[in-house]
Amino acid sequence: MARLSKPMMGFMLLCCLAVLTEAEYIKYKDPKQPVGARIKDLMKRMTLEEKIGQMVQIERSVATPDVMKQYFIGSVLSGGGSVPAPKASAETWINAVNEIQKGSLSTRLGIPMIYGIDAVHGHNNVYNATIFPHNVGLGVTRDPQLVKKIGEATALEVRATGIPYVFAPCIAVCRDPRWGRCYESYSEDPKIVQSMTEIIPGLQGELPAKSRKGIPFVAGKQKVAACAKHFVGDGGTTKGIDENNTVISLNGLLSIHMPAYYNSISKGVATVMVSYSSWNGKRMHANRDLVTGFLKDKLKFKGFVISDWQGIDRITSPPHLNYSYSVEAGVGAGIDMIMIPYNFTEFIDELTYQVKKNIIPMSRIDDAVKRILRVKFVMGIFENPLADFSLVNQLGSKEHRELAREAVRKSLVLLKNGKSADKPLLPLPKKTAKILVAGSHADNLGNQCGGWTITWQGLGSNDLTIGTTILNAVKNTVDHTTQVVYNENPDAEFVKSNKFSFAIVVVGEPTYAEMYGDSFNLSIPEPGPSTIHNVCGAVKCVVVVISGRPVVIQPYLATLDALVAAWLPGTEGQGVADLLFGDFGFSGKLARTWFKTVDQLPMNIGDPHYDPLFPFGFGLTTKPTKN
C-alpha cells in the first residue's frame, strides 16, 4: 500500500475531525436554536417508547433512577405529604430530586424530567416553608400586586428545594361553600378570580412584550412553571360535592368558570390541569370539545395539559372499571401528561397497544410530546437539569414571612365591632390588667394553616412546621404588664371569677382538603360553640373564626361583641394580632357571600333570592391606633 505524504495525512485527519465534530453537534441540545427547531430535531430522534414515556408522570416514591431510565419517564411529582424525609431540609430535597434527574439524564437522548409539586399557599409540602393565607383569604385583599409578590416568593422557596414546577394557581370560582375545596378559590366572583391570575407572572416571570398568545413562558432558574387548575367548572358542582357534576349552560360556563383561563393563557401559563368534575354529565377528563376544541384550538394554548391524580381512572365509575376505555378517552380528549401516579407500566402498555392498533393516532402522541418538550425547552431545564444549593436560604426567609404577615392583615374581614356602632370593641388596648385567650384554634398552628399543609388533609398540631400561633402573636403584642391567660375551653364560672378585661376566642373548622372537606351543615364543631357561649356570655369578647369558607355564625352573633373572619391565615399568626390591637386597620371586604342558613345555598351575588347575613363586599374598617 502506498505511503501517504505528511500533508495528505494531516488533511485527512482534519476531515475526520470535521466529520466527528459535525456528528457531535446535536441541534436540540443547542440553546441558541429556536425552540421550534429543537423540538423538531428531538422529535425525529425519538422512538414510540420514548415519546410515551414523556407523557407519564409518576409519584416520587416509585421514581427510582432505574425506573426513569428504563421507561423514559417524563415527569415526577410529590403527592400531598410525599417527602424524601420527615422535616426534610432544602438540601435533602435537592439531593432527592437530582438523584431522580440523573436517571433521566442517563437515557439515550438525555431528556430531563420535570418535577412537580402542589404549592397552593406557599411551598406547602415542605417543613419551614412560609405558608401564606389560602386563596379564600387572598381574594378578600383584592390586591393583584400582593398576590404577584406571593407568587415570586413561592417560586423562590420551591426552587430552593430543587423543584421547577408547581400545580398552582387554583382558579376555580367556588359557587357553593359546601365544597371542600372552596378555600382554594379566590372568590365567587369571576372578576376577582381573573385579577388574581397575576400570581402567574409572579411564579413564572413577566411575559416578554410581543410574545405570541398561548406560548408558555418561564423566566429562568428563579422561576417555576405554573399550572392553572382545574379546567373547567370545578367550583360549580351540584351542592358543592367534590368531583361532582356542574350543571350549567355553555354561556354560564364561559361567563363564570372560563374567564380566568383567558387571563392565565394570555400571561403565558405553562400548563393546565383538567378537573375531576363533569360538565352536564360528561367527565372533563374525557371532554375533547373543551380540552382540545376550546382550550387548545380556540384559545391557542400551546403549553401542556395534565390530568389530575389518577384522573383518567376516574373517567369511569367506579374508577378503573374499564382502563382501556379511560386511556382512549383521556388521551383522545387532549390530555398530554398523565398523572398516574403508581401503576405506570399498565398505562404505558395500554397506550402503546392502542397506538400500534391505530386506536389512538400517532398525531395525538406527537401533539402531546411537542407540548411537553416545548415547556421543558422554554424553562431552560435542558441547560440546567440539576439544581444547586444557591437558593436554600430562601426557604421560610424573613422577607417571605413578612410578606405573608402583610397578606394576613389584608385578608381579615371585620364583620361586627361592638354591640352598637358607637361603642366599638376593636382595636383592643395593649395595656390592661388581664385578658383571656380561648378556643380550639388559638394555639394550633395546623388548624391555622388548614389543609394542603405538610400533609394532604393538614394536621391539627403545633409541631408540623415553623410559625406563630395567634396565642403567641397576642403575647408578642400586648404590653409587658398585661397578663395573658390561655384556657382552651373554659367554663363560664372560670371566666366570671377571673375578672378579665376582655377575651379573644379563636374557633373554627378542623383541617381538611378535597373530598373529606365537603360539608352539608357548615357548622363550627364543638367545643367551638360552647366556648363562645361560656366566654362571650360572661365577658366582652371578640370571636376570630378560622375557616376555609363562611360557616354558620348567625346563632352566636348576638352573644359576641366583635367578629372577625380570618379564613386560613397560614404560619404568620402575628398578622391577626396586628389588626386586633390596632397596629394596622381592618380593610378586607368579603369576596364571598356569608349566608344566614345553609338552606339558602347556593347563593351568590346577583341571585334573585339574595338574602345574606353579610353581603359580598361587606367589611367594617378601623383606623390604626397611634402608639
Side-chain angles (χ1 to χ4, degrees), residues 156-168:
L156 285 168
E157 297 210 9
V158 172
R159 281 286 195 171
T161 58
I163 296 171
Y165 176 31
V166 297
F167 309 126

Side-chain angles (χ1 to χ4, degrees), residues 17-89:
L17 277 171
V19 168
L20 279 170
T21 307
E22 199 164 301
E24 278 171 14
Y25 174 74
I26 298 170
K27 190 182 271 188
Y28 77 84
K29 291 188 174 177
D30 182 357
K32 295 189 184 74
Q33 289 288 339
V35 168
R38 297 178 78 183
I39 293 169
K40 197 173 173 184
D41 180 66
L42 181 48
M43 289 287 292
K44 70 172 194 249
R45 299 169 187 269
M46 293 174 78
T47 63
L48 176 62
E49 199 181 1
E50 285 164 332
K51 286 176 179 177
I52 285 173
Q54 282 303 301
M55 296 171 66
V56 175
Q57 185 180 63
I58 63 174
E59 218 287 321
R60 177 199 64 78
S61 55
V62 295
T64 64
D66 285 347
V67 162
M68 302 305 289
K69 185 176 181 181
Q70 186 179 346
Y71 296 99
F72 312 105
I73 301 295
S75 184
V76 174
L77 84 149
S78 271
S82 175
V83 297
K87 299 187 178 180
S89 66

Side-chain angles (χ1 to χ4, degrees), residues 514-525:
E514 57 195 301
M515 290 167 11
Y516 298 95
D518 291 355
S519 169
F520 289 122
N521 59 32
L522 292 178
S523 56
I524 297 170

